[in-house]
Amino acid sequence: MPSLLETQQAIHDALSTAPADSAPGAAGLPAGAVSIHRNNMLHALTRALALGFPAVEGLVGTDFFEAMAISFVRQAHPRSAWLDAYGEDFPAFIATFAPAGGLPYLADLARLERAAAVAAMVDPHPALLPADLAGLDTNGAAALRFEAHPSLRLLQSPFPVDALQTATLAADEGTLQRLRLNEPVRLLIRGTLDGAAAEIIRLAEPAFRFTRLLMDGASLGCALQQVPEEADGGTLALLLAGPSFRRASAADAFPEEQPR
Amino acid sequence: MLALRPPIAWLEVHSENYFAGEGLATLETLRHDYPVSCHCVGLSLGSADGLDPEHLRRVAALVARIEPSLVSDHLSWSTFGGVYLGELLPLPLTEEALGIVCRNVAHAQDALGRTLLLENPSTYGAFPHSTIPEWDFLAAVAARTGCGILCDVNNIWVSACNLGLDPLGWLNGLPGAAIGEIHLAGHALKPLADGRVVRLDDHGSPVRPEVWALYAEAIRRFGPKPTLIEWDTDVPDLDMLRGEALQAQAIADATLAERDASRHAERSDAVAA
């Protein structure tokens, strides 16, 4: 008589390795039952991915998405029952999925959906707000460094994946047909202060570079020196209007940084 | 739900869908107007290698935040070796498995600071090395850990038919005092190549007449219990769902009235004798 551990090992192996159309029994559980559980498992996990990547599914259709998702599930099962968090590696998988090779923007669209999903799941608090910086003089402000908020992501793509996402989710065929696919975008993705959603904001090249410098730990003064276009403070105000940073510290808490 | 606030006695959610984001924010609003039951699908209380501490921590955080009336999961397993399989998988019902389930239920109850309800799952085949009927297994877990039982009447029908057992005998084997909640749902019939028909617990259609009849038996035996209609594939409009809930209430009311009348008649006979 197999132990419970041996029984579960055998069923785990039967569900995660064997193809769907061949269903041997496992640890005494009849083949028909194993087949039903395998189908239920694949359905649950592919539906979880579809919920996390609705624009990818909308663009390629349910059948193609399901085939792609099943291939992914077979090589990367979830590590926990929190399925909202499943799919971290799905965009990278899509980039290597040969049948999707004719859709070069698909992986970046998946990266955008993933970043937005994560942003909406992260607790927005604590977040650095404009009031936290009130009263700083120019020297004090220039010395500040920021700790990026875990909801904040930057995404650069040679394709307008934000417009592609919006039009796909709205099933807006007209816009999809008119969309110029050779339009690069630079995007900021973050949560909202009420913790219920994500926002996606297009940035100009200097704003994107400025934000990247701050996320990487450059002081405000250093970032402004490298991207003088941002001297008007517009991008900094945009960043402080949502959960972009957790907190700011005076530079003397860090080793002196030389502008590159 | 947020806009309509229909007159519904209580709500049940799959805990795992409400750990963060918009779902959690919605639930935090609705919990002020409705009692909430947190029904888990991922604790994997039958796992031989124990519970996932990170998942248990997330469920505990949700329970602390929502303060649900009930918390439940299944007599099944879904996680093995750090991999979540996304399906409520069956256990061989042995003394070894009983010890493991009791240990895991006790662990979860300690972490959550409250008792759980343990639900009978749908099964599609039996392990040859099972030695304990499911109703006795559930009764033993309840007796040893203090947990309650979530009696899924549809799952009893599905499992009993698939395994060639008597649904009423199955129901009668459960300890009535431990039942804390009842589930009802629809299921599908799938013909197999060999001519047999398997019943699939897909929660995608109205409750079947034979399951309504078994529900009346459950109420007659267990008394009034919070009853939930589960419908999570091909979800219909709210009116259709409410219709199913109202039918459950009507059956429970009629069954209890009939039971009380016959008890009254028995007492009168005893007095007359």
Side-chain angles (χ1 to χ4, degrees), chain B residues 104-142:
Chain B
N104 287 340
V105 167
H107 179 184
Q109 292 187 146
D110 283 349
L112 301 178
R114 55 188 300 157
T115 55
L116 286 173
L117 298 179
L118 192 59
E119 177 180 344
N120 57 300
S122 281
T123 46
Y124 304 104
F127 291 94
H129 54 292
S130 283
T131 54
I132 309 172
E134 188 185 279
W135 49 89
D136 286 344
F137 195 100
L138 282 165
V141 179

Side-chain angles (χ1 to χ4, degrees), chain B residues 1-7 26 29-30 33-34 238:
Chain B
M1 281 299 299
L2 278 174
L4 298 174
R5 304 292 170 112
T26 303
T29 303
L30 288 172
D33 294 336
Y34 300 96
L238 196 55

Side-chain angles (χ1 to χ4, degrees), chain A residues 44-49 52-53 69-90 114 117 121, chain B residues 84:
Chain A
L45 299 183
T46 57
R47 283 299 90 198
L49 288 170
F53 298 90
I70 286 175
S71 299
F72 174 69
V73 165
R74 289 201 191 292
Q75 61 168 257
H77 265 278
R79 309 303 298 179
S80 105
W82 186 23
L83 287 180
D84 287 348
Y86 181 45
E88 181 71 40
D89 302 326
F90 194 44
R114 177 68 193 174
M121 283 188 289
Chain B
Y84 176 64

